[in-house]
Amino acid sequence: MIPVSTNRDLRQMEQHGSSCFPISVCLAHLSDYRGGQFPTHWHDDFEFLLVLSGQMRCTANGESVALSPGDAVFINSSALHTAVSTGQEDCAYYAVTLHPDFFGLQGTTLVETYVMPFCDSPFFNLCRIAADRASAQPILGALQTVCTLYDSQE
């Protein structure tokens, strides 16, 4: 079992990436967690889950989406989230986390006007990025490239 350390308010204690490079990529399997579900938690990072095999249901702040191989989900900063395997096959996925500092625009008008309202919105928790939608292909392609680069470093 993979532990996910949280504090009392379920904030994940492990840092994703570093202050020098605030991005993290992790290949994971839901079977590594008790009951095929990773523990409910939150963090300041934006997170993408890219499903490689199996199926999962991802839930953030009570809003859920079903994901199949090739699909991804975007989880907003500070959203309380979890995912559970929903099929017979183990669900393998990449988790790609980006801290808002990754964009290097802290304190700018751009961040204050366009990024922070999005991050702080209680109405935008997660967004399914469906493999069968042409409009999703640029995002899915970029995620796959990031994951391929991660794999080549190992």
Side-chain angles (χ1 to χ4, degrees), residues 4-151:
V4 175
S5 302
T6 60
N7 65 12
R8 282 191 199 143
D9 68 353
L10 300 179
R11 181 188 183 113
Q12 185 175 13
M13 301 307 294
E14 295 89 8
Q15 181 179 353
H16 299 116
S18 68
S19 58
C20 294
F21 193 68
I23 182 172
S24 173
V25 179
C26 177
L27 175 61
H29 295 82
L30 285 174
S31 63
D32 291 338
Y33 300 97
R34 181 174 291 122
Q37 178 173 358
F38 66 72
T40 302
H41 66 284
W42 67 274
H43 40 72
D44 291 333
D45 307 282
F46 299 114
E47 186 165 7
F48 291 92
L49 303 180
L50 175 63
V51 178
L52 302 176
S53 63
Q55 297 177 336
M56 75 164 63
R57 174 162 296 285
C58 182
T59 302
N61 292 338
E63 186 179 339
S64 293
V65 294
L67 303 167
S68 297
D71 291 341
V73 63
F74 170 82
I75 304 166
N76 202 358
S77 173
S78 302
L80 188 64
H81 62 281
T82 187
V84 63
S85 183
T86 57
Q88 299 298 319
E89 180 184 1
D90 183 22
C91 184
Y93 64 98
Y94 278 106
V96 178
T97 56
L98 303 161
H99 192 276
D101 291 349
F102 176 78
F103 301 101
L105 303 169
Q106 307 87 328
T108 65
T109 301
L110 177 68
V111 168
E112 298 304 319
T113 304
Y114 298 104
V115 177
M116 292 314 296
F118 171 76
C119 294
D120 295 339
S121 174
F123 305 108
F124 187 73
N125 300 301
L126 77 170
C127 178
R128 179 174 177 256
I129 305 166
D132 61 355
R133 305 226 21 202
S135 61
Q137 295 313 305
I139 296 170
L140 292 171
L143 283 171
Q144 290 164 350
T145 298
V146 167
C147 297
T148 299
L149 289 171
Y150 167 80
D151 282 341

